[in-house]
Amino acid sequence: MAKTKISIGVRFIIFATTLAAALTMLSTTEMVHIKDGYTFLPSYKNSNNGYSFRATYKNWNSFQFFIAVNFVGAAYNLLVIVLPNGSRLWKLVVVLDMVIAMVLVASCAAALETYILLKNGNIQASWQPICRFVPIFCAKALGAIVTCICGLLTNTLLLFYSFHIIFNPLLIKSEDDS
């Protein structure tokens, strides 16, 4: 697949959305002080009248995975944008696009499941929902996940476009074939 204006524009959109998702999740943090009377895990006792808790991406491995995968996706798409047109690496680009899409799906799914757990809790594990205590953290995390999903959908559209260019599913003769 060669570079076209469409593929460059779509790759730039993927680059921007994955980078924005990673930076948003990386900057997502909130400190809260909770008075006694709530069952809240994890809690860190710092005084006689409550608990302090700092919600950050470092507390959950799925959010760390999410950040790493989105940075890799952004870097990959930026490298493909600057890849020369005559390079032999273009044969590998579609395969790597598929790999990036699969890893983005995994990271979005893991981060979304963690967000749902933070929002709803898990009664069987005695884990109370914490989004009522750290609403800004949860809103930013959800925003990062939605941004990543937009990048993932754009990546999927680029894959379909690449398959169309490579395999010519309508079997239409190109001008070069005549």
Side-chain angles (χ1 to χ4, degrees):
M1 182 183 134
K3 271 193 216 184
T4 63
K5 289 180 181 179
I6 293 172
S7 67
I8 291 173
V10 170
R11 284 195 187 281
F12 184 75
I13 291 169
I14 297 168
F15 165 75
T17 55
T18 53
L19 184 65
L23 292 176
T24 302
M25 187 66 81
L26 193 63
S27 67
T28 301
T29 184
E30 186 175 0
M31 181 73 146
V32 65
H33 183 76
I34 301 165
K35 300 201 185 262
D36 281 339
Y38 288 107
T39 304
F40 184 70
L41 296 174
S43 57
Y44 306 99
K45 189 94 168 164
N46 70 344
S47 68
N48 292 334
N49 62 355
Y51 301 92
S52 286
F53 176 70
R54 182 179 181 96
T56 180
Y57 74 92
K58 294 178 185 176
N59 296 349
W60 294 279
N61 291 334
S62 62
F63 288 165
Q64 294 174 9
F65 175 62
F66 178 86
I67 291 169
V69 166
N70 277 284
F71 274 133
V72 167
Y76 166 74
N77 279 289
L78 185 62
L79 287 174
V80 172
I81 288 173
V82 299
L83 187 66
N85 230 355
S87 176
R88 292 185 179 202
L89 293 176
W90 278 104
K91 295 178 181 178
L92 193 61
V93 167
V94 176
V95 174
L96 291 177
D97 280 347
M98 183 68 80
V99 170
I100 292 294
M102 287 188 285
V103 177
L104 278 172
V105 166
S107 73
C108 287
L112 186 59
E113 178 58 31
T114 301
Y115 171 78
I116 290 170
L117 186 62
L118 295 176
K119 182 161 179 57
N120 300 329
N122 185 342
I123 303 304
Q124 290 83 10
S126 298
W127 188 341
Q128 300 297 318
I130 67 165
C131 282
R132 61 183 170 175
F133 298 110
V134 285
I136 295 170
F137 172 79
C138 289
K140 283 183 159 184
L142 182 60
I145 294 167
V146 168
T147 305
C148 179
I149 291 171
C150 291
L152 175 63
L153 292 175
T154 310
N155 194 352
T156 304
L157 290 175
L158 180 66
L159 272 170
F160 288 150
Y161 176 73
S162 300
F163 289 153
H164 176 74
I165 296 296
I166 292 171
F167 297 119
N168 195 2
L170 300 176
L171 301 175
I172 300 172
K173 279 188 170 182
S174 67
E175 295 172 10
D176 298 336
D177 292 341
S178 38

